[in-house]
């Protein structure tokens, strides 16, 4: 039998989207070639890793063991008991991980079968020798020529630990046949997942909860329409009786381990307030740069922050909050957290809503516009295949020191040995009807770039608006002078 003849199950209807991830897992699990395989599945908390892996194991008669916070002996005992139930034999009598790993690998002695050890970092915390035990077991299988087709999948949410366990210096990295990362749903997938057909409402909800699948269940319901958004916020993320109310707090606890969480919270508040470089954040926090740098490094390694190089000045790296719920919390709710315990959520939200619109929804809209330009725009829109979309800024001599000219959506093509070609410079305005002065702003920026020696001959000005464009700007679009992208195009067009 060849690998192409092996039964490959269809993705269960209960698994939303994740087609590429499912196909990759099935291809790995059903590969019938001799030899044990090893796969690594990572992703931040709440992205559906366990659900997807359990569905895979169920569809293929595999085995799935989920680690819990426990003592080493308890985990080994649980694993033995669950293996016994799976195989229909008596409980395993081994007392260490050497015997446990041998029993797990024996599941693949007769056929290719997926075996999942979920939350692997917790098992390693209990038993630091486990990675070496697995490496030794695989080497022994190879040296003895044993016909084994176990497809072992090691999954984990602790990104720093997973990176260390499977980094370049780890013996396990050389064994991995599959490295898969589950990311949050993109803004279009999230709108479908929440059942939201209204683009503006979809973007507002995405600015609060992002694309983390678990938050749909935590919320309990979705907004009934655009007019229900404020009430939905009050009955979900601002209601102390719902799981989402403290989710940002729990997320920080789980992702940042035992470091200075108070400083981490304040660092996120600084970024939400508009500080985007280490120096700005350190000054805002009133802490030494070394302390701020340590905190920011931790947040980046946990996947809660990411760095975005400036489109025109690559040495300038802006730090952005990766998880929208954290941006929502620290950008608009953080100053009102105590009041929510004592006052009506509607009254608190009325005070917080203007800050949400400017400090959270506005930057989030620009981020979604960059995502659209990179992942959804037809190549013909910018005259080439985009390779990057980032915020860009340049000093403007006419404005004086410290007054930069900015573009929220700068699109570049693929580099061919030199500077990546500039395809577009764009302005993004969430709550502003855009007019010809916005186009003139972009033309002025292009002039500054040309004066610096950049080739702007292919660059197309683009305006992105959450509320629309004037007839004059529409006329400029008809003449080919500008690309216009509204919410309908973001969610439905190319």
């Amino acid at each position: 039998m060849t690998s192409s003849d092996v039964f490959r199950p269809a993705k269960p209807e209960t698994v939303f989207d994740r087609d590429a991830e499912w196909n990759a897992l099935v291809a790995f699990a059903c590969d019938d070639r001799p030899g044990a395989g090893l796969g690594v599945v990572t992703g931040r908390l709440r992205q559906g890793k366990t659900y997807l892996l359990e569905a895979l194991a169920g569809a293929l008669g595999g085995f799935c063991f989920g680690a819990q916070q426990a003592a080493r002996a308890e985990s080994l005992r649980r694993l033995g008991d669950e293996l016994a139930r799976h195989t229909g034999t008596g409980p395993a009598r081994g007392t260490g991980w050497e015997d446990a790993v041998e029993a797990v690998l024996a599941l693949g002695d007769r056929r290719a079968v997926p075996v999942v050890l979920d939350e692997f970092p917790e098992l390693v915390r209990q038993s630091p020798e486990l990675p070496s035990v697995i490496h030794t077991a695989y080497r022994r299988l190879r040296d003895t020529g044993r016909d084994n087709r176990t497809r072992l999948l090691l999954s984990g949410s602790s990104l720093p630990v997973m990176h260390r366990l499977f980094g370049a210096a780890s013996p396990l990295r050389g064994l991995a046949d599959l490295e898969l990362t589950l990311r949050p749903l993109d803004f279009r997938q999230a709108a479908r997942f929440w059942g939201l057909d209204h683009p503006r409402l979809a973007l507002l909800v995405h600015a609060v909860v992002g694309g983390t699948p678990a938050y749909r269940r935590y919320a309990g319901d979705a907004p009934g329409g655009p007019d229900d958004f404020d009430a939905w916020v009050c009955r979900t993320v601002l209601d102390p009786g719902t799981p989402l109310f403290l989710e940002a707090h729990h997320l920080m606890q789980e992702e940042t381990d035992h470091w200075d969480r108070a400083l981490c919270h304040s660092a996120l508040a600084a970024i939400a307030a508009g500080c985007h470089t280490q120096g700005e954040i350190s000054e805002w926090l009133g802490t030494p740069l070394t302390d701020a740098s340590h905190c920011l490094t931790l947040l980046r390694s946990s996947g809660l922050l990411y760095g975005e190089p400036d489109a025109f000045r690559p040495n300038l790296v802006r730090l952005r909050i990766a998880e929208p719920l954290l941006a929502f919390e620290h950008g608009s709710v953080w100053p009102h957290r105590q009041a929510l315990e004592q006052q009506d959520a509607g009254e608190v939200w009325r005070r917080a809503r203007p800050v949400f619109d400017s400090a959270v929804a506005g930057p989030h809209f620009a981020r979604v516009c960059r995502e659209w330009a990179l992942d959804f725009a037809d190549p013909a829109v910018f005259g080439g295949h985009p390779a990057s979309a980032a915020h860009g800024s340049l000093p403007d001599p006419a404005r004086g020191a410290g007054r930069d000219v900015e573009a929220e959506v700068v699109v570049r093509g693929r580099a061919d040995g030199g500077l990546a070609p500039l395809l577009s410079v764009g302005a993004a305005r969430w709550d502003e009807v855009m007019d010809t002065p916005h186009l003139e702003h972009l033309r002025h920026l292009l002039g500054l770039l040309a004066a610096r020696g950049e080739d702007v001959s292919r660059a197309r000005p683009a305006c992105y608006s959450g509320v629309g464009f004037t007839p004059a700007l529409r006329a400029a679009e008809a003449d080919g002078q500008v690309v216009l992208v509204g919410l309908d195009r973001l969610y439905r067009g190319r």
Side-chain angles (χ1 to χ4, degrees):
M1 178 182 291
T2 66
S3 59
S4 61
D5 297 323
V6 176
F7 167 70
R8 294 173 183 260
K11 187 189 73 176
E13 293 183 1
T14 54
V15 176
F16 176 82
D17 205 277
R18 302 298 193 196
D19 294 339
E21 293 89 344
W22 177 262
N23 291 337
L25 287 169
V26 168
F28 168 77
C30 294
D31 186 349
D32 201 46
R33 290 176 295 179
L38 180 68
V40 182
V41 180
T42 59
R44 289 200 345 255
L45 290 162
R46 323 286 197 261
Q47 303 310 317
K49 295 183 301 300
T50 299
Y51 192 80
L52 188 65
L53 291 169
E54 287 179 345
L56 178 77
L60 290 170
F63 174 73
C64 188
F65 176 75
Q68 299 175 349
Q69 291 188 356
R72 175 180 181 272
E74 182 184 350
S75 291
L76 283 166
R77 186 164 53 249
R78 279 188 55 237
L79 177 59
D81 292 343
E82 293 187 24
L83 267 174
R85 282 193 293 271
H86 178 76
T87 60
T89 61
R93 299 299 180 187
T95 58
W97 274 109
E98 291 80 2
D99 295 329
V101 169
E102 176 63 27
V104 163
L105 292 177
L107 295 174
D109 278 344
R110 289 186 295 275
R111 66 181 181 93
V113 60
V115 176
V116 178
L117 296 183
D118 196 21
E119 290 307 330
F120 184 65
E122 175 58 29
L123 294 177
V124 175
R125 185 193 66 78
Q126 302 164 18
S127 307
E129 76 278 9
L130 182 53
S132 295
V133 171
I134 293 175
H135 180 263
T136 300
Y138 269 70
R139 186 177 59 192
R140 186 164 55 247
L141 286 176
R142 184 186 62 231
D143 292 346
T144 61
R146 179 170 144 199
D147 185 10
N148 182 279
R149 291 175 172 81
T150 300
R151 305 298 178 236
L152 181 61
L153 288 156
L154 305 178
S155 171
S157 302
S158 177
L159 300 187
V161 176
M162 291 297 284
H163 291 158
R164 184 170 67 250
L165 291 174
F166 299 96
S170 169
L172 289 180
R173 181 174 180 82
L175 298 175
D177 304 296
L178 171 72
E179 296 183 37
L180 180 67
T181 300
L182 257 69
R183 306 186 188 282
L185 303 173
D186 66 48
F187 69 96
R188 287 187 173 184
Q189 293 170 326
R192 295 196 304 273
F193 187 64
W194 282 79
L196 301 174
D197 296 326
H198 192 284
R200 186 173 179 86
L201 176 62
L203 194 135
L204 285 169
V205 171
H206 196 260
V208 176
V209 293
T212 296
Y215 295 162
R216 176 68 180 85
R217 174 169 49 85
Y218 287 8
D221 71 346
D227 295 338
D228 189 38
F229 174 72
D230 291 322
W232 174 80
V233 169
C234 292
R235 66 178 180 262
T236 55
V237 285
L238 300 188
D239 182 353
T242 66
L244 276 178
F245 181 73
L246 288 177
E247 174 60 15
H249 172 74
H250 293 323
L251 190 63
M252 289 287 286
Q253 276 195 312
E254 292 164 336
E255 294 285 13
T256 56
D257 200 14
H258 300 292
W259 211 71
D260 190 342
R261 295 193 185 103
L263 187 61
C264 290
H265 277 293
S266 294
L268 292 177
I271 296 170
C275 302
H276 293 294
T277 66
Q278 287 196 15
E280 291 172 344
I281 296 166
S282 175
E283 183 177 355
W284 198 91
L285 294 174
T287 61
L289 185 60
T290 52
D291 288 352
S293 177
H294 188 175
C295 168
L296 296 172
T297 298
L298 173 66
L299 291 170
R300 290 187 70 172
S301 67
S302 299
L304 301 180
L305 287 185
Y306 65 96
E308 182 185 75
D310 188 277
F312 306 131
R313 296 180 284 180
N315 291 331
L316 172 61
V317 177
R318 291 183 178 85
L319 293 172
R320 310 270 190 200
I321 300 175
E323 172 53 60
L325 184 64
L326 289 177
F328 170 81
E329 167 75 18
H330 294 86
S332 56
V333 179
W334 193 247
H336 307 284
R337 176 56 71 180
Q338 186 173 2
L340 285 168
E341 302 279 0
Q342 305 164 350
Q343 301 177 19
D344 175 69
E347 179 59 34
V348 174
W349 179 238
R350 277 189 287 274
R351 298 198 300 270
R353 178 67 197 262
V355 180
F356 166 77
D357 288 330
S358 60
V360 179
H364 190 79
F365 174 67
R367 173 179 170 176
V368 167
C369 291
R370 291 190 286 270
E371 187 176 340
W372 177 86
L374 188 60
D375 297 332
F376 297 102
D378 190 286
V381 172
F382 302 119
H385 290 277
S388 67
H391 186 118
S393 62
L394 278 181
D396 185 357
R399 294 189 175 192
R403 299 284 304 277
D404 290 351
V405 178
E406 301 191 41
E408 290 76 22
V409 190
V410 178
V411 182
R412 289 190 180 275
R414 295 173 180 146
D416 188 17
L419 182 66
L422 183 64
L423 302 182
S424 176
V425 292
R429 302 290 183 269
W430 168 239
D431 260 339
E432 190 176 338
V433 176
M434 301 188 77
D435 199 356
T436 51
H438 295 97
L439 177 56
E440 293 305 319
H441 165 82
L442 296 173
R443 287 171 173 163
H444 175 62
L445 176 57
L446 288 171
L448 292 176
L449 289 167
R452 290 165 56 97
E454 176 131 14
D455 181 5
V456 301
S457 60
R458 298 174 56 187
R460 301 181 179 182
C463 292
Y464 304 78
S465 174
V467 289
F469 311 95
T470 64
L473 200 57
R474 287 289 185 190
E477 177 191 36
D479 289 340
Q481 300 178 46
V482 63
V483 174
L484 301 185
V485 182
L487 286 169
D488 281 339
R489 191 171 184 182
L490 276 180
Y491 276 89
R492 303 186 181 110
R494 292 174 58 81

